[in-house]
Amino acid sequence: GDSVTQMEGPVTLSEEAFLTINCTYTATGYPSLFWYVQYPGEGLQLLLKATKADDKGSNKGFEATYRKETTSFHLEKGSVQVSDSAVYFCALEGGSYIPTFGRGTSLIVHP
Amino acid sequence: EAGVAQSPRYKIIEKRQSVAFWCNPISGHATLYWYQQILGQGPKLLIQFQNNGVVDDSQLPKDRFSAERLKGVDSTLKIQPAKLEDSAVYLCASSLSGSSVQYFGPGTRLTVT
């Protein structure tokens, strides 16, 4: 079945540091890929998405590129802020249209 | 636009008791999802509705869990009887028909003692 593997957290960074959170997937067909974010005390919300190979999703300074050859969708940001502290979930929706989420990666940004 | 509403926000019950959660999706969203999120893990899909029909319930423990969406709008998820391992956050999400972008509610945190 479909699966998503994320790097384990927590990821701890200083403000203005570069962020990468790795995500790889296994799926049949050509899934859509997503990053969701959960800020403290809030529900999950969509951060960005990509629906086909080589697409780049971007939002709020975050980017992720759909790499079919490496089955990856790594999340990056050039300069993180304290307000980016949250849990980030990589997810996919494949041909079965059943959403599959990773375990989540906690990001802690210090001033 | 109002978001996805869920109630209650917190529930504590003893094992073998029953519990029900309610979800009201965003108006106009035909697709509704129920997830179970155990601490430290990602959300796991329990059941997905399209209007009032079930799209997928392959991961729903049907011996104790049930869900309905009778009028194609709000939905109820029930657990009867509850087990200790059911302690988790139960998330409801909705999306427009044909869209894969989901909007999540705040969740219900269930503790089974």
Side-chain angles (χ1 to χ4, degrees):
Chain A
D2 297 345
S3 66
V4 175
T5 302
Q6 287 183 239
M7 63 187 290
E8 292 211 14
V11 173
T12 305
L13 296 172
S14 297
E15 208 165 24
E16 299 183 4
F18 184 86
L19 168 71
T20 300
I21 300 178
N22 291 338
C23 171
T24 57
Y25 67 90
T26 302
T28 54
Y30 302 94
S32 294
L33 302 175
F34 308 84
W35 278 100
Y36 282 85
V37 59
Q38 186 172 29
Y39 298 105
E42 299 184 15
L44 277 80
Q45 55 186 277
L46 180 69
L47 181 59
L48 52 85
K49 68 172 185 176
T51 57
K52 62 182 186 294
D54 300 324
D55 266 4
K56 178 184 286 187
S58 62
N59 186 24
K60 299 182 181 179
F62 291 89
E63 293 183 339
T65 302
Y66 189 144
R67 301 287 188 198
K68 184 162 175 56
E69 64 277 13
T70 55
T71 61
S72 64
F73 193 54
H74 304 323
L75 182 68
E76 296 181 337
K77 186 174 185 181
S79 175
V80 293
Q81 306 299 312
V82 172
S83 57
D84 293 327
S85 297
V87 181
Y88 293 81
F89 293 90
C90 186
L92 68 82
E93 186 175 287
S96 63
Y97 300 104
I98 298 173
T100 301
F101 284 77
R103 298 173 64 96
T105 302
S106 175
L107 170 65
I108 301 169
V109 181
H110 294 292
Chain B
E1 179 183 78
V4 177
Q6 289 188 247
S7 67
R9 293 294 310 277
Y10 305 92
K11 189 74 176 178
I12 301 173
I13 61 172
E14 294 182 352
K15 59 184 179 183
R16 292 186 289 273
Q17 288 187 322
S18 62
V19 64
F21 313 126
W22 175 81
C23 172
N24 192 31
I26 293 173
S27 178
H29 282 198
T31 309
L32 186 147
Y33 312 80
W34 282 104
Y35 291 89
Q36 180 191 59
Q37 186 178 15
I38 294 172
L39 186 64
Q41 299 183 21
K44 182 182 84 170
L45 182 70
L46 293 176
I47 189 167
Q48 179 179 344
F49 291 96
Q50 179 74 14
N51 296 308
N52 60 352
V54 175
V55 174
D56 184 85
D57 63 358
S58 58
Q59 299 187 103
L60 185 74
K62 298 180 186 64
D63 58 333
R64 298 185 299 107
F65 286 64
S66 63
E68 59 184 15
R69 193 184 185 199
L70 293 176
K71 297 181 180 178
V73 180
D74 57 350
S75 176
T76 303
L77 176 69
K78 296 179 181 178
I79 308 175
Q80 182 179 12
K83 293 185 176 181
L84 296 177
E85 58 260 37
D86 298 332
S87 294
V89 176
Y90 291 84
L91 299 169
C92 180
S94 68
S95 68
L96 289 167
S97 181
S99 171
S100 52
V101 176
Q102 298 179 57
Y103 296 82
F104 284 82
T108 297
R109 183 176 299 276
L110 173 68
T111 302
V112 182
T113 63

